[in-house]
Amino acid sequence: MGDGKNKNDKDEAVALKRGAAEIVEAAKVQVLKTEIKPEVTENSLKVLERRYLKKDDDGNVIETPAEMFRRVAENIASAELIYNPGADVEKVAADFYEVLAKFEFVPNSPTLMNAGRDLQQLSACFVLPVGDSMEEIFESVKQTALIHKSGGGTGFSFSRLRPKNSRVRSTKGLSSGPISFMSVFNAATEAVKQGGARRGANMGILRVDHPDILEFITCKSEEGAIANFNISVALTEKFMRAVEMDTEYDLISPRNQEKVRSLRAREVFDLIVTKAWENGEPGIIFIDQINKFNPTPQVGEIESTNPCGEQPLLPYESCNLGSINLSKMVRDNRVDFNRLERVVRLGTRFLDNVIDKNKFPLPEIEKMTKANRKIGLGVMGFADMLIKVGIPYDSEEAIKMAEKIMRFINEISHDESANLARERGPFPNFRGSIWDKPGARPMRNATCTTIAPTGTISIIAGVSSGIEPLFAVSFTRNVMDKDELTEVNPLFEEIARKLGFYSEELMKKIAKRGSVRGLEEIPDPIQRIFATAMDIAPSWHIQIQAAFQKYTDNAVSKTVNFPNKATKEDVREVYLLAFRLGCKGVTIYRDGSRKEQVLSIKRDGKQQVSVAGSPAVFQELSPRPRPTVTIGRTEKIKTGCGTLYVTINEDEHGLCEIFTQMGKSGGCAASQSEGLARLISLALRVGIKGDSIVKHLRGIRCPSPAMGPGGTVLSCPDAIGIVLERYLKWKKTGKLEDNTPLKEGREELDSMIGACPECGGVIEHEGGCLVCRICGFSKCL
């Protein structure tokens, strides 16, 4: 009896203890859910309201940042029940909410936007195959449209397509080649994005040994061409060795694997360098290096990446990404590895759950994604972390820190993936994968880590983007009534006040130049740690990228910034260094290289500036005088306001003026057309290119479009754009066209590199993408 009583008493005590523990745990969950409030800046809140928070049918925001994070946390945590019906979902949701609300971990944009909502499409990255038949090509076009409709971006390799002018057996005609079909995908993207808030983004890749490689390298030489694509050349190991040895290499037909001809490798490489130097494209990927680390070679060969290049994927694979905020992992000027480990484990579990909660846009994508379960845990705020621990970005210490941090993240993420495999089972294609080794633990995910461009999520978190250095230490923003507001990096302001050199005058001085290096008022150690992108030599950019790549499963997104004065040889050396250091790809941008770049940072007083949203301070330009005699051509075009006569004149320097005459209509339409023509004439005599003017005129609509023999003329400005576009083509080809309006609509302002098309702020170049840190605009995702 006594033994039984003691046992009952003991059981009761254990039960009471367990019950008390559960009550305490439940209380903790409730506290986490109700008391942690996201600390958002004014700018972060604007971006969240504009792009992420739920809205009602009238466009009114009906969700707070805390409610958004709770929506996401609870939705993703519910995946626990798939594997364990008794899982403590509330506790997992509370843990997820904590790291989200503290901005310690933030998933990619589609997850923030769509988790717990009707769409529930949570991935940003997709790769689709492009086969060598008309049926396969247009099936991929259809699938692209469906992915873009859901808010995703797509990558393609066009290397399987037969070369231009190859014989087509079924029709006895000639093939038009990969670049022509890229234009089809580009047009489909343009059509889809007109109806949605998210912009479709594409990556187009062609192997360097494809017979049409020279056309591909130059296909974006004209600004605005194939505007919805980033392009990259897939460089092979064989090609790079031929470059180093200055020998020829073979071009191979993908149709029959036969040699077509040979080219001198250095000449092709130099053409890639020249085009990248001119406008940042094409980028390059080292395709053999990528496949060397392909986790599932038994499934297939990797041909392409996502739009920003950091996520190599097999055809029909998708990947969901998330980033750890390294700035939040510093305590007392040291990295808090205990906190970092907790966030890595939660981030890995979160991203694995996302796969199960995702509504995929295509069944083929769902099948392949769940078979390999790739995730991409990365980082942001690296530059902020370096500042907090007192390490300059361009230093050996920074390289060591990059390796140390990423090695730790990679190892902990792999360990957590192995834990998940024990709990849930390994990814289905585990057998035959690189993880399938004697004595090794099964893995839940084929890949665990990726360094992505964090774009808008770093704006939300209020930290530096990805592994990029600071863009600017201080900048000026215009507010209402033409008042100027100087905004300063908060870490810099804190240090400046603490050390006693802060002043409004100094902050304004910094805002005019972007950089603090070279300013006598600022102590040398502070100048060193507050490096901006343009302060840093290109070789340091590559070395930091290579340090992260060393311990990253997938690839690393990073832009190598060059000053405008950089030479082609400078670009060439960076490409070769990236190859030697084991990078999987490179994106470069030379400041001001885009013809239509409007805004830039002032350096040493030599260049006009506007930084992060302030209006541009332009150098005053004067139009060249109108000559006494001009030559030109007049064309008649029908508009909704009547017949418009457009006269285009040239002088010895090129286009110099446009005149318009509005038939018998007169009135407001005539006066507005005349005013527009005068402004165009002024722009032409200042030196603005005609192509640029066309882009901004085409597609403008008025209430009274006109149907002509060749199509619709949307407005008088559209009519002027049509005539000017035809005139420019005539000058280029020597052939006159009929009065058929050319392609309806205009390209988005995405081609206006440097200026944000939505708010006018400065566009940052980040990993092949463009992002505005003022309003959150992103060309990609």
Side-chain angles (χ1 to χ4, degrees):
M1 285 290 291
D3 290 341
K5 185 177 184 299
N6 289 338
K7 183 177 185 300
N8 289 338
D9 289 342
K10 186 176 180 180
D11 290 344
E12 184 177 354
V14 170
L16 286 171
K17 185 176 180 180
R18 184 184 298 117
E22 289 172 355
I23 291 170
V24 170
E25 196 61 43
K28 288 181 181 178
V29 169
Q30 191 62 28
V31 167
L32 288 174
K33 289 185 68 175
T34 58
E35 290 192 0
I36 298 176
K37 299 206 181 291
E39 295 182 6
V40 296
T41 65
E42 180 183 352
N43 200 47
S44 298
L45 184 59
K46 288 179 181 177
V47 173
L48 285 168
E49 289 176 340
R50 189 167 188 166
R51 301 181 183 277
Y52 294 88
L53 302 181
K54 286 167 64 174
K55 296 181 177 70
D56 61 20
D57 292 339
D58 297 322
N60 301 308
V61 175
I62 57 172
E63 186 178 52
T64 66
E67 289 168 340
M68 176 192 72
F69 287 134
R70 190 169 298 129
R71 163 174 57 82
V72 173
E74 291 177 350
N75 179 263
I76 302 305
S78 67
E80 300 287 321
L81 297 173
I82 298 172
Y83 304 100
N84 179 10
D88 189 349
V89 174
E90 284 289 318
K91 175 61 169 64
V92 176
D95 287 342
F96 287 168
Y97 176 80
E98 180 190 0
V99 294
L100 291 171
K102 289 183 176 180
F103 297 108
E104 294 178 331
F105 166 80
V106 185
N108 56 207
S109 291
T111 301
L112 283 181
M113 291 176 178
N114 301 327
R117 300 174 69 177
D118 291 340
L119 185 59
Q120 196 67 24
Q121 200 292 93
L122 310 179
S123 295
C125 313
F126 300 85
V127 162
L128 292 175
V130 183
D132 190 35
S133 70
M134 201 65 74
E135 292 79 8
E136 291 172 305
I137 291 168
F138 280 91
E139 179 64 21
S140 293
V141 171
K142 182 189 79 173
Q143 293 173 341
T144 301
L146 293 173
I147 290 173
H148 288 177
K149 180 183 176 183
S150 75
T154 43
F156 313 90
S157 170
F158 293 93
S159 301
R160 299 186 199 179
L161 300 188
R162 69 192 71 186
K164 189 175 184 178
N165 295 325
S166 295
R167 183 66 62 185
V168 179
R169 187 179 304 170
S170 59
T171 64
K172 308 304 180 185
L174 298 177
S175 167
S176 56
I179 287 75
S180 67
F181 285 112
M182 283 177 64
S183 299
V184 175
F185 283 82
N186 186 73
T189 302
E190 186 73 26
V192 172
K193 77 179 183 182
Q194 297 296 332
R198 304 256 336 213
R199 289 167 176 77
N202 299 306
M203 169 65 84
I205 288 177
L206 196 72
R207 286 177 61 97
V208 73
D209 52 12
H210 190 282
D212 288 355
I213 189 60
L214 298 181
E215 183 183 1
F216 179 81
I217 294 168
T218 58
C219 72
K220 294 195 71 174
S221 296
E222 183 180 341
E223 293 262 342
I226 319 184
N228 298 306
F229 269 89
N230 293 333
I231 64 168
S232 286
V233 179
L235 303 182
T236 64
E237 192 95 12
K238 188 175 182 180
F239 172 80
M240 291 305 298
R241 298 303 175 205
V243 170
E244 292 179 334
M245 298 174 65
D246 195 14
T247 58
E248 291 190 337
Y249 77 107
D250 295 338
L251 301 183
I252 306 296
S253 172
R255 187 180 181 187
N256 52 26
Q257 300 303 308
E258 293 180 357
K259 174 183 174 181
V260 174
R261 58 183 172 131
S262 297
L263 294 175
R264 185 182 169 212
R266 281 195 184 176
E267 290 182 356
V268 176
F269 189 71
D270 288 344
L271 180 62
I272 295 170
V273 167
T274 297
K275 291 304 170 183
W277 179 86
E278 288 176 355
N279 70 358
E281 290 195 86
I284 58 173
I285 64 168
F286 300 111
I287 195 67
D288 291 339
Q289 180 74 357
I290 286 173
N291 276 293
K292 182 179 178 181
F293 295 94
N294 177 3
T296 55
Q298 80 281 13
V299 178
E301 183 177 330
I302 293 173
E303 301 175 324
S304 184
T305 72
N306 71 322
C308 292
E310 79 281 2
Q311 189 60 58
L313 294 170
L314 294 169
Y316 288 122
E317 269 191 316
S318 69
C319 188
N320 50 285
L321 311 175
S323 298
I324 295 170
N325 183 353
L326 293 179
S327 179
K328 296 283 188 177
M329 300 298 114
V330 179
R331 300 286 185 275
D332 300 322
N333 303 320
R334 299 180 66 180
V335 177
D336 184 348
F337 283 96
N338 290 331
R339 185 66 188 172
L340 180 57
E341 178 175 348
R342 181 174 188 271
V343 177
V344 171
R345 292 191 185 280
L346 283 172
T348 302
R349 190 178 200 93
F350 182 102
L351 294 175
D352 188 65
N353 284 9
V354 168
I355 296 172
D356 294 309
K357 295 300 296 182
N358 207 347
K359 286 185 180 178
F360 296 92
L362 297 170
E364 298 95 329
I365 291 174
E366 179 173 11
K367 180 180 178 181
M368 182 64 86
T369 300
K370 289 185 174 179
N372 294 328
R373 302 192 70 88
K374 286 182 178 175
I375 61 172
L377 184 64
V379 300
M380 59 183 169
F382 176 64
D384 293 324
M385 185 200 73
L386 289 179
I387 291 168
K388 287 184 175 183
V389 298
I391 296 176
Y393 191 97
D394 47 346
S395 69
E396 292 294 337
E397 292 84 358
I399 293 172
K400 291 176 183 177
M401 179 61 79
E403 289 188 359
K404 183 178 181 180
I405 289 290
M406 202 60 215
R407 180 174 185 173
F408 182 84
I409 292 172
N410 208 41
E411 288 178 352
I412 297 298
S413 186
H414 288 171
D415 184 68
E416 187 64 17
S417 182
N419 291 340
L420 288 168
R422 186 171 61 250
E423 177 185 325
R424 303 174 174 182
F427 65 93
N429 284 334
F430 177 78
R431 293 301 171 198
S433 73
I434 62 171
W435 303 107
D436 185 17
K437 300 175 182 176
R441 291 189 297 169
M443 296 287 286
R444 177 67 174 167
N445 313 97
T447 64
C448 292
T449 50
T450 302
I451 305 293
T454 52
T456 50
I457 66 170
S458 65
I459 302 173
I460 294 169
V463 296
S464 56
S465 182
I467 62 168
E468 302 287 357
L470 298 181
F471 181 67
V473 174
S474 178
F475 56 85
T476 301
R477 182 189 299 170
N478 266 30
V479 292
M480 297 186 66
D481 299 323
K482 298 184 179 179
D483 289 337
E484 289 190 345
L485 178 65
T486 301
E487 298 198 13
V488 184
N489 179 282
L491 295 176
F492 182 79
E493 181 173 354
E494 179 185 346
I495 291 174
R497 290 186 183 279
K498 185 176 180 180
L499 297 182
F501 64 83
Y502 180 90
S503 72
E504 294 295 335
E505 293 72 23
L506 178 59
M507 299 307 112
K508 290 179 181 178
K509 184 176 182 180
I510 296 170
K512 290 180 179 179
R513 63 201 307 274
S515 171
V516 298
R517 290 194 172 177
L519 287 177
E520 295 179 355
E521 303 95 319
I522 300 173
D524 287 344
I526 307 305
Q527 291 186 33
R528 287 284 295 135
I529 65 172
F530 281 93
T532 62
M534 296 302 294
D535 292 328
I536 296 166
S539 62
W540 286 112
H541 284 280
I542 285 294
Q543 289 180 80
I544 291 291
Q545 179 178 338
F548 275 98
Q549 184 63 76
K550 193 173 181 180
Y551 297 105
T552 301
D553 292 341
N554 293 303
V556 175
S557 176
K558 175 85 181 69
T559 296
V560 180
N561 297 95
F562 287 87
N564 183 264
K565 65 181 180 182
T567 65
K568 296 173 186 177
E569 184 60 28
D570 294 330
V571 176
R572 190 176 193 276
E573 286 302 315
V574 159
Y575 281 178
L576 292 174
L577 180 61
F579 173 66
R580 292 166 190 150
L581 293 181
C583 294
K584 293 182 180 178
V586 186
T587 299
I588 71 104
Y589 181 72
R590 182 174 63 89
D591 188 41
S593 60
R594 295 283 177 123
K595 297 171 185 174
E596 293 191 358
Q597 180 172 348
V598 175
L599 306 178
S600 59
I601 293 182
K602 190 175 184 179
R603 303 290 170 186
D604 302 323
K606 297 178 181 178
Q607 202 173 345
Q608 300 299 324
V609 216
S610 173
V611 182
S614 61
V617 182
F618 291 103
Q619 180 181 5
E620 292 188 8
L621 299 174
S622 299
R624 66 179 186 266
R626 185 194 182 279
T628 305
V629 178
T630 62
I631 57 173
R633 180 171 177 266
T634 300
E635 183 174 321
K636 180 176 74 173
I637 186 169
K638 183 180 179 182
T639 75
C641 300
T643 301
L644 184 68
Y645 296 86
V646 182
T647 300
I648 301 175
N649 288 336
E650 293 189 58
D651 59 15
E652 67 271 22
H653 302 291
L655 295 180
C656 66
E657 64 187 0
I658 287 181
F659 290 113
T660 61
Q661 178 66 40
M662 181 60 77
K664 298 179 181 179
S665 300
C668 187
S671 63
Q672 289 182 357
S673 295
E674 181 181 351
L676 178 59
R678 290 188 184 191
L679 288 173
I680 294 172
S681 300
L682 192 68
L684 288 171
R685 293 205 297 278
V686 164
I688 303 297
K689 293 183 176 297
D691 288 337
S692 302
I693 294 171
V694 168
K695 288 175 192 171
H696 294 286
L697 294 177
R698 294 302 315 278
I700 294 177
R701 297 173 180 267
C702 77
S704 304
M707 292 296 296
T712 305
V713 177
L714 302 175
S715 65
C716 294
D718 189 49
I720 296 172
I722 290 170
V723 174
L724 179 56
E725 187 172 13
R726 253 198 307 266
Y727 186 89
L728 293 171
K729 286 194 174 183
W730 168 58
K731 293 294 294 184
K732 187 175 182 179
T733 65
K735 296 179 181 179
L736 281 170
E737 299 183 14
D738 60 17
N739 288 339
T740 302
L742 301 166
K743 170 188 167 188
E744 283 194 19
R746 65 183 180 89
E747 298 293 347
E748 290 275 335
L749 293 181
D750 295 353
S751 62
M752 200 169 186
I753 306 303
C756 173
E758 294 190 4
C759 75
V762 164
I763 287 287
E764 296 180 32
H765 297 262
E766 182 189 329
C769 195
L770 308 171
V771 63
C772 172
R773 299 188 71 80
I774 294 301
C775 70
F777 164 83
S778 174
K779 182 184 176 185
C780 298
L781 295 170

